[in-house]
Amino acid sequence: KAITTRHKTQMPLLLVPSVALLGLVLQPPSPAARSVRAPRAGRVLLGWGPDPVWSDQSVESISDAGEGLKAITIDAALDGFGKGGQYLQIREPGAEKAGIFAIASAPGASPLEFLIKEQPPSDWSPGTGWLTGASAGAALEMSQAMGSGFLKTDDALEGISTVLLFAVGSGISPIRSVIESGALDGKSVELFYGARTPAMMSYTDKFAAWEELGVSVTPVISQPEGTGWEGCTGYVQDVAREKGIADPKATALLLCGMKGMAVAIKEMAEEAGIPEERVLANF
């Protein structure tokens, strides 16, 4: 299904390799913060958030959600999940390392939903192949919810009338959660969502529902050649910059994506006169 938009630019979207891990803007931890194997009754430390409290769970469903992406559901109650943008840890039973995954579903929704990028293992991550290649019923261990989400205080949007959302790739996962949480109700909200190709863009089937919630959706494709794409192309921040920010002092930005995108969004905000404390990430 073709999605048309009102803005166009020809600048390419820079996708910095694998820094937005599983829907979070993250940096690899220092060697001291990497996962360490503790005694059976002990703890696994990953360097982000509190120590995980593990529970035995299983995959309820798994399906394709775009090129290189899987939609996975887990039917489980989740302690501490109350804000869009929170995340948790998941690991293969008995594994030393765990992956960090943003929660895609809204607080209170059931089952829990995740958008997971297929990713090879590294020195500090177990990769996701064991999970993205799993079938329904596969066993896993899951932690409690972690992080404070995008809106870390109850008054985070006090005095804000406009919220601009920025996501690239699987970074749409926590952005979806905050959209569907209701936390942005009453605001003028626009989403700028980037992917390399239309085939790599997830949740296109949800765009209409988000529009009904009051979110204007602007998809941006960085490599449109040969795809038939007729919408916006280039950097998500350049599409937003071209449109303009009418009232910077009453605008907040929520973002999740590659490090390069995050840096560019912060630069754009500074140029527009948006205070740094109004540029919000989910970590």
Side-chain angles (χ1 to χ4, degrees):
K1 179 180 177 180
I3 301 168
T4 59
T5 57
R6 298 183 296 275
H7 317 291
K8 237 179 162 179
T9 179
Q10 293 300 317
M11 298 185 71
L13 174 62
L14 175 63
L15 296 176
V16 179
S18 190
V19 179
L21 175 63
L22 314 175
L24 293 165
V25 181
L26 297 172
Q27 291 281 11
S30 64
R34 292 177 179 171
S35 291
V36 292
R37 183 69 174 181
R40 186 68 179 176
R43 302 172 297 179
V44 176
L45 305 180
L46 288 177
W48 294 293
D51 298 346
V53 178
W54 299 107
S55 64
D56 294 330
Q57 304 294 341
S58 62
V59 173
E60 180 185 64
S61 69
I62 181 167
S63 60
D64 292 331
E67 188 176 310
L69 295 163
K70 294 289 186 180
I72 291 178
T73 65
I74 299 173
D75 188 10
L78 183 60
D79 292 339
F81 183 32
K83 293 184 177 182
Q86 287 183 272
Y87 54 92
L88 49 69
Q89 297 180 28
I90 296 176
R91 68 181 182 183
E92 197 170 5
E96 295 184 2
K97 298 178 182 179
I100 299 179
F101 300 86
I103 304 164
S105 46
S110 181
L112 296 172
E113 297 185 48
F114 302 88
L115 179 66
I116 300 181
K117 181 180 180 180
E118 296 174 341
Q119 210 166 290
S122 67
D123 289 343
W124 62 284
S125 168
T128 61
W130 71 271
L131 185 55
T132 57
S135 301
L140 55 85
E141 294 177 352
M142 186 179 78
S143 76
Q144 76 278 27
M146 298 180 171
S148 301
F150 289 104
L151 308 178
K152 296 172 176 55
T153 62
D154 292 338
D155 62 353
L157 295 181
E158 184 176 342
I160 295 298
S161 59
T162 300
V163 179
L164 303 182
L165 308 174
F166 295 88
V168 172
S170 60
I172 192 62
S173 181
I175 294 290
R176 173 195 164 188
S177 182
V178 76
I179 288 173
E180 297 179 2
S181 72
L184 306 180
D185 289 355
K187 309 296 183 184
S188 175
V189 184
E190 183 158 7
L191 166 63
F192 298 89
Y193 174 25
R196 287 176 181 162
T197 68
M200 298 177 74
M201 182 166 280
S202 299
Y203 297 149
T204 56
D205 60 332
K206 298 185 181 296
F207 289 175
W210 294 348
E211 295 268 3
E212 289 180 2
L213 292 174
V215 179
S216 175
V217 181
T218 301
V220 183
I221 297 299
S222 65
Q223 297 177 10
E225 296 80 5
T227 67
W229 179 255
E230 297 180 353
C232 295
T233 60
Y235 288 91
V236 289
Q237 65 269 19
D238 283 339
V239 174
R241 183 184 286 112
E242 181 182 348
K243 183 172 183 180
I245 299 174
D247 188 359
K249 292 184 179 180
T251 299
L253 279 56
L254 277 58
L255 61 92
C256 187
M258 306 296 183
K259 180 183 177 183
M261 184 211 76
V263 170
I265 293 295
K266 291 177 181 179
E267 291 174 351
M268 182 199 73
E270 183 178 5
E271 293 170 4
I274 298 173
E276 184 178 357
E277 62 269 18
R278 297 278 173 84
V279 181
L280 308 174
N282 64 319
F283 65 98

